[in-house]
Amino acid sequence: MRRILLLTLTMLSTLLPNLAHAWWQPDWAYRKPITIDAGPQGGALGGDAGRTPVLVRLHTGNFSFEGVSDTGADLRFVAGDDKTVLNHQIEQFDPLLGIALVWVDMPALPAGAPQQVWMYYGNPKAPASGNGQRTFDPDYTLVYHFAEAATPPRDTTAFGNNAQTAVVSIDGTVIGKGAKLSGTPLMLPAAPSLTQEAGGAFTFSVWVRPEQLGAQQLIYARRDSGREFLVGIDQGVPFVQVNGQRSKPGQPIQAGQWSHLAVTADGKNVTLHVGGRATASLEASMPALNTVAAIGGDTAAQSAAMTPFIGAIDEVRMSKVARSDTLLLADAVSQGAESRLAVFGSDEQQAGKSHFGFILAAMPLDAWLVVIILGVMMVLSWAIMISKGRNYAAISRANAVFMDHFRETAGAPLDQLANSSKLPQDVKADSSLWRLYKVAVDEMRRRHDRGYDLNAVSNATISAIRAAMDGVMVRENERMSHRMNWLSTAIEGAPYVGLFGTVIGIMLVFVVAAMAGAVDINSVAPGMAAALLCTAAGLGVAIPALFGYNWLASRSDAIGADMAVFVDEFATRLAEEQGEGRQARATLRQA
């Protein structure tokens, strides 16, 4: 009884989660589960990060981009209860390229248990609902994604602190597009929301990739009436400087590599974070600052000891609070290329979809082209096998009927069967032996019309008639082998076509995964399965064609053997019944 109860509870535990996740709204046709795991197996944050904007990277390795709006307007993110809609902001959505970057506002990010989020899509009537002003909490005073091109960066928060200068946009950064700095700083406005009070809280974070490591390179600078707040890199070692007081050397960064830098101030200490972890600290408080700030260089009141930053930057954020160490670690973990914070599950459809359907949904355009080519090859090969099979069967049946009638005329003149009407017309149309017989009879009649004595056929005449029959037999064999080369092409070429599609598909999976910064098994497995489907399709074309080719070849060989035997039989009977030897024996008997 106890075992039965345990088994019942186990089955209920597997069924209840499925029952609990009812469909959010029927207007959305598809959904994808996303597991946000801050525990040791995921982001390994080691604590509760609180409210956090989490980056969701979509690419062809984890999302097919089929059924979704071209702009991503129908994307909705719903909490695990399938009721609470989460704020989100689309930074980039390109279904043609197969890449999307979406920020999702997670109300809490505990390290104790994974959370499930549902991404709904597939509603062409849904209006756009992405809003960066709600995705980032009100304590963020500036957020630059650098998604714009050749224009000043736009602040996605409600404060609208857009930059005052344009930057050179570059692709392939940590998160989609970034900015390239070549000596000219990016100037920030002196907006009221960016005013820094003395001793107030503050957070600044940015992704940087220096082209080369130099001395006193400024990442962020703000000066006001002799007061200063500087963040920079000195020979690869990040530093923070407040009113001339500089932090001790901490963890260095490398040239040509992306690194996440952040600085927090809580009124007592100013802490420098590298890669989401604290590496240096100052016992100082923020000075009062009410002027413009610069990123990648100094402000108008430049210091001769400082040099501009040369390299690329991405995802600049400023806050009027001191962000927790766990949240900064979550930023570094979730935004980086090796993020394990978000794990993607298989797409679901309201009406249900098979595993094979998910593979088809994950197939890119090049894979579909290969499958279409293989489909054409399969249709042609099957059409050839069916037509050849029916043709060979008709020839075999007609040959069998002809041989029965031919053997019944043993002892009679060889042209008796041609002169009679006993042989059905369909047999004459299908039988290859009839065509051999007909050409031999025609040759005999032609010689009779020329005055040859057919009662004493010479060996030369027999050889000539046999040669004519051999010519017809060769043409019959050629007709039977017609289009058989298409089958051999399908046998040998289809696996290579499928392998070509697989190689191209795998290349695209890895390229897109690298561009999107996601290399986990859940992101590449659907694309790999779709690529391998090309090889399976190639084998699916080649294997039946191989079996059909061997079967047809055996049937063709059997018909060819019947024709060769018939030629020998006809020539032997002609020599025996109407040859010169028979006439000579008759003369001897008369003498």
Side-chain angles (χ1 to χ4, degrees), residues 319-343:
S319 302
K320 58 184 178 181
V321 296
R323 299 293 178 179
S324 66
D325 294 351
T326 308
L327 186 142
L328 295 177
L329 179 60
D331 287 343
V333 169
S334 66
Q335 299 169 17
E338 302 296 331
S339 174
R340 295 186 299 173
L341 187 63
V343 180

Side-chain angles (χ1 to χ4, degrees), residues 503-529:
V503 173
I504 297 298
I506 291 176
M507 290 171 57
L508 291 178
V509 166
F510 284 123
V511 167
V512 173
M515 293 176 63
V519 293
D520 57 284
I521 187 63
N522 292 305
S523 63
V524 302
M528 296 281 285

Side-chain angles (χ1 to χ4, degrees), residues 52-65:
T52 307
V54 174
L55 177 63
V56 175
R57 297 175 181 266
L58 301 176
H59 51 83
T60 54
N62 57 30
F63 189 55
S64 65
F65 289 90

Side-chain angles (χ1 to χ4, degrees), residues 354-378:
S354 64
H355 295 293
F356 190 76
F358 284 116
I359 294 177
L360 293 178
M363 288 178 60
L365 177 61
D366 61 294
W368 277 113
L369 292 177
V370 171
V371 170
I372 290 173
I373 293 173
L374 292 173
V376 173
M377 295 178 67
M378 182 186 68

Side-chain angles (χ1 to χ4, degrees), residues 350-406:
Q350 284 202 74
K353 184 186 287 187
S354 64
H355 295 293
F356 190 76
F358 284 116
I359 294 177
L360 293 178
M363 288 178 60
L365 177 61
D366 61 294
W368 277 113
L369 292 177
V370 171
V371 170
I372 290 173
I373 293 173
L374 292 173
V376 173
M377 295 178 67
M378 182 186 68
V379 171
L380 291 176
S381 62
W382 276 91
I384 292 172
M385 287 188 292
I386 292 173
S387 64
K388 286 293 182 182
R390 296 177 62 181
N391 184 34
Y392 289 175
I395 293 174
S396 298
R397 289 193 300 267
N399 286 344
V401 174
F402 172 81
M403 286 303 300
D404 292 338
H405 285 79
F406 180 76

